[in-house]
Amino acid sequence: MKVSPISIIVKLLVLIPAILFVVMGVRWLVAPAGVAPNFGLTLSDGLGLSSQIGNMAGFFLVLGSCMLIALISGHRSWYYPP
């Protein structure tokens, strides 16, 4: 089976943002104070902080991981969540 160059280019165009989303999600988990200013956010206090970190990390990790799973498995349905 021959793989077309367009197919490879499209997969790379999806792979790059997927990796960036996963890295951004991990940064929200590990060092939220360093990534929050990139979004113009200030970190909340108390329960607001855990909610802010959890929501932002979860958003980026799910987005990136679904894109990566779609690339690996080849099932288009994994692109629906992103």
Side-chain angles (χ1 to χ4, degrees), residues 11-82:
K11 286 183 179 183
L12 283 174
L13 288 175
V14 173
L15 179 66
I16 292 168
I19 291 172
L20 292 175
F21 288 142
V22 170
V23 168
M24 191 69 63
V26 171
R27 282 186 67 199
W28 269 104
L29 287 175
V30 175
V35 72
N38 294 340
F39 291 97
L41 298 172
T42 57
L43 290 178
S44 301
D45 294 330
L47 292 176
L49 176 63
S50 63
S51 177
Q52 186 178 23
I53 292 171
N55 288 336
M56 295 299 283
F59 172 77
F60 285 109
L61 288 173
V62 167
L63 187 70
S65 62
C66 284
M67 291 170 75
L68 290 173
I69 291 170
L71 283 173
I72 292 168
S73 70
H75 296 289
R76 290 184 297 178
S77 61
W78 283 103
Y79 287 117
Y80 295 158

